[in-house]
Amino acid sequence: QVQLVESGGGLVQAGGSLRLSCAASDGTFSSYSMGWFRQAPGKDREFVGVISFSGGNTEYADSVKGRFTISRDNAKNTVYLQMDSLKPEDTAVYYCATSYHSIITTASRSPHNYRYWGQGTQVTVSS
């Protein structure tokens, strides 16, 4: 079983930036697309973005497009989420997840498309 460990969360003022990291325990990491999701209190888990196995393709939720950037370093088994121009509505627990697929598909926005999940890291944006 692959283990995913997120880090980099914290408290930041609106307009600030954070970079989340997600480190995988298994070398098969490089074979699969990786997604980022978030969940605010009382809300469903929400798709943030996804990156293909090679890092050549990404997709983002409209709510973060132009502000968030996903990248990956397959040599380090790590995927990153750079978050800029943060807003209070970005406050949530952020999760990384390993997809069943190597490429981005129409199902990549659904959490059901992912088999391994990290424990989550809290991001709080103050106004």
Side-chain angles (χ1 to χ4, degrees), residues 32-126:
Y32 300 99
S33 60
M34 296 292 296
W36 283 97
F37 289 78
R38 65 187 182 186
Q39 189 166 19
K43 294 188 176 181
D44 291 336
R45 193 163 294 191
E46 174 189 25
F47 171 77
V48 173
V50 60
I51 187 166
S52 63
F53 77 103
S54 66
N57 291 289
T58 53
E59 283 190 8
Y60 299 93
D62 288 346
S63 58
V64 306
K65 197 175 296 182
R67 300 188 297 121
F68 290 11
T69 304
I70 299 175
S71 60
R72 66 189 297 163
D73 185 338
N74 285 343
K76 296 182 178 180
N77 290 348
T78 302
V79 62
Y80 304 96
L81 179 65
Q82 177 67 42
M83 304 185 294
D84 299 319
S85 302
L86 282 161
K87 304 175 181 179
E89 51 262 45
D90 295 319
T91 296
V93 177
Y94 283 71
Y95 300 89
C96 64
T98 303
S99 172
Y100 285 103
H101 308 288
S102 59
I103 61 174
I104 297 172
T105 72
T106 54
S108 293
R109 293 173 180 253
S110 168
H112 299 293
N113 192 51
Y114 296 83
R115 59 177 161 177
Y116 299 122
W117 292 82
Q119 83 288 351
T121 185
Q122 176 71 45
V123 171
T124 303
V125 184
S126 64

